[in-house]
Amino acid sequence: MKEIEEIKKEFEEKIKTKSIEELKKVETHFLGRKGKVVDLFKTLKNATEENRKNIGQQINDLKSYVEETISKRLKELEEIEKNKLLANERIDITLPGIRLETGGLHILSKVMKEVEDIFLSMGFDVMTGPEIESDYYNFEALNIPEFHPARDMQDTFYLAKKILLRTQTSPIQIRTMEKYKPPIRIIAIGRCYRRDAIDSSHSPIFHQVEGLVIDKNVSFSSLKGTLLEFTKKMFGEETKIRFSPSYFPFVEPGAETAISCVICKGKGCRVCKYTGWLEMGGSGMVHPNVLKNVNIDPEEYQGFAFGWGVERIAMIKYGIPDIRMFLQNDLRFLEQFK
Ligand code: DAH
């Protein structure tokens, strides 16, 4: 009986352990095959007949008590362990998040898409052409012969004797008319190159949007209506358009086109240099020589064409003061248009 008491006391001490590993050892120590409780049963044979039953009962009680207590303690320790793990993995949802920067289209890409969408809505198709062009498409077929002074105006990057970086999107007119029969109604937006000195309005790399319509009964008023419609959609309903006589070898008559200043609404300001007008590019009725160069009969078909600067459109629409900003890749600039 005294031994039972002692074992119980020892057990009460050892069960206080805080580690699961330790607890397993305690279990073996008391309940294992050579454990203390099992040993107790062996002492039964020394007890007197009348005591045996009583002592046996008490050892059994001790055994159940030890078993139950250990399993209860094990559950407790496992719970503590689990909570510790959870505490480590806890996320404080009140902390400010980490903001991931998203990319966006370059402002020029956006403007080109706007331009395309407007002309698509007006029934135009979109064409493309190569940036490396031949002398024939960039000049000759456009009625700009070899010694024509217009070739001087376009300071050209030559790659070889008759191979160059296109100075305008107009060669796409020729490529289109060679490939498709009239009626033709297309625009072409693309990169152009000129050996211009760089300043706030000149860049050796820039973009143009070219328009070409060929059909029977196409007149100058079709040109005017088309550009006015585009202008209103791009810059606002109240915007006006002005044509003034100009010369381009591939059109006759040719006209410089301007829109009423979107900043001062035509009253005169710094942006329009107090003229009330902003120049956008050239236009005109396709020259009969150009039509002949692509085997279209100028007696049967007429057409109009125009070529506007894309950077110019973007600068006016979004109030961008310097053409160099498009190529500088300054995020402070680019992110304003995301
Ligand atoms: N390609 C001309 C330039 O770069 C602009 C131009 C003028 C295009 C008249 C045209 C046009 O289609 O008809 O200066």
Side-chain angles (χ1 to χ4, degrees):
M1 293 287 261
K2 219 175 110 205
E3 263 179 86
I4 291 179
E5 276 314 306
E6 270 164 20
I7 288 174
K8 197 168 177 193
K9 236 196 212 151
E10 189 195 348
F11 175 71
E12 297 294 3
E13 251 338 283
K14 293 216 157 125
I15 195 70
K16 287 177 186 158
T17 178
K18 290 197 170 92
S19 104
I20 293 178
E21 212 180 309
E22 217 33 63
L23 190 69
K24 297 266 150 131
K25 280 187 196 154
V26 173
E27 187 175 24
T28 334
H29 181 71
F30 289 97
L31 300 173
R33 263 202 295 139
K34 288 178 182 159
K36 290 244 160 143
V37 177
V38 176
D39 275 353
L40 270 183
F41 284 110
K42 288 177 193 157
T43 63
L44 263 185
K45 61 176 181 289
N46 302 331
T48 57
E49 196 77 39
E50 70 234 53
N51 278 343
R52 195 171 291 161
K53 200 176 164 208
N54 185 15
I55 295 174
Q57 183 62 46
Q58 294 212 33
I59 299 174
N60 266 330
D61 288 350
L62 176 68
K63 190 179 172 227
S64 319
Y65 173 72
V66 168
E67 279 169 355
E68 271 162 36
T69 313
I70 286 179
S71 97
K72 233 174 38 202
R73 184 72 183 141
L74 183 66
K75 278 208 187 100
E76 268 169 36
L77 289 179
E78 278 171 350
E79 188 69 15
I80 291 169
E81 199 71 9
K82 202 172 91 192
N83 285 339
K84 257 196 230 158
L85 276 177
L86 283 179
N88 280 344
E89 285 176 7
R90 208 180 66 166
I91 294 167
D92 183 350
I93 57 164
T94 65
L95 282 175
I98 300 163
R99 243 183 80 185
L100 296 176
E101 288 297 332
T102 55
L105 284 181
H106 190 282
I107 179 60
L108 260 192
S109 306
K110 274 194 177 164
V111 169
M112 290 193 270
K113 197 172 175 321
E114 277 181 69
V115 172
E116 278 183 10
D117 285 347
I118 292 173
F119 279 107
L120 283 169
S121 79
M122 291 163 69
F124 282 69
D125 285 324
V126 176
M127 294 290 296
T128 55
E131 290 176 26
I132 296 173
E133 261 300 4
S134 69
D135 179 277
Y136 176 77
Y137 285 105
N138 196 79
F139 293 127
E140 198 154 340
L142 287 162
N143 204 33
I144 315 174
E146 199 168 347
F147 297 107
H148 197 286
R151 291 199 182 194
D152 259 6
M153 277 160 37
Q154 315 221 0
D155 293 285
T156 308
F157 286 110
Y158 279 92
L159 302 179
K161 191 147 179 282
K162 296 224 161 195
I163 304 293
L164 47 86
L165 296 179
R166 70 179 175 205
T167 61
Q168 50 186 351
T169 41
S170 303
I172 302 172
Q173 288 188 26
I174 306 298
R175 292 183 176 275
T176 304
M177 289 187 286
E178 277 183 349
K179 215 164 151 190
Y180 301 103
K181 295 257 151 304
I184 289 168
R185 202 190 289 152
I186 61 108
I187 60 153
I189 302 186
R191 195 175 275 174
C192 304
Y193 303 82
R194 284 187 206 180
R195 292 172 42 218
D196 274 331
I198 299 171
D199 64 25
S200 65
S201 58
H202 293 86
S203 161
I205 301 174
F206 61 99
H207 297 74
Q208 284 186 340
V209 50
E210 189 83 15
L212 175 73
V213 171
I214 307 285
D215 206 344
K216 291 171 180 169
N217 306 317
V218 174
S219 66
F220 202 95
S221 65
S222 323
L223 166 63
K224 208 172 160 182
T226 302
L227 281 180
L228 182 61
E229 182 69 13
F230 167 72
T231 297
K232 284 179 168 180
K233 286 195 161 131
M234 195 71 192
F235 299 104
E237 273 301 311
E238 69 291 347
T239 320
K240 295 186 191 67
I241 187 164
R242 182 186 73 176
F243 289 82
S244 36
S246 187
Y247 174 71
F248 302 95
F250 37 93
V251 281
E252 181 58 38
E256 187 61 52
T257 32
I259 63 168
S260 56
C261 181
V262 297
I263 311 284
C264 64
K265 311 284 175 215
K267 283 192 211 81
C269 68
R270 241 183 48 218
V271 175
C272 61
K273 301 195 183 85
Y274 302 96
T275 63
W277 296 95
L278 299 164
E279 284 186 0
M280 302 303 296
S283 65
M285 299 306 292
V286 179
H287 198 290
N289 287 351
V290 173
L291 293 176
K292 280 182 209 154
N293 286 339
V294 291
N295 294 320
I296 291 176
D297 181 2
E299 299 295 328
E300 195 183 353
Y301 288 100
Q302 310 83 45
F304 68 76
F306 59 86
W308 280 16
V310 177
E311 279 81 354
R312 185 95 176 123
I313 294 171
M315 287 165 85
I316 289 167
K317 178 145 185 183
Y318 293 98
I320 298 163
D322 193 311
I323 200 171
R324 287 169 286 205
M325 292 177 142
F326 292 114
L327 289 172
Q328 277 161 345
N329 281 338
D330 185 334
L331 286 178
R332 291 167 302 177
F333 168 69
L334 296 176
E335 281 177 350
Q336 294 179 58
F337 306 104
K338 266 205 322 218

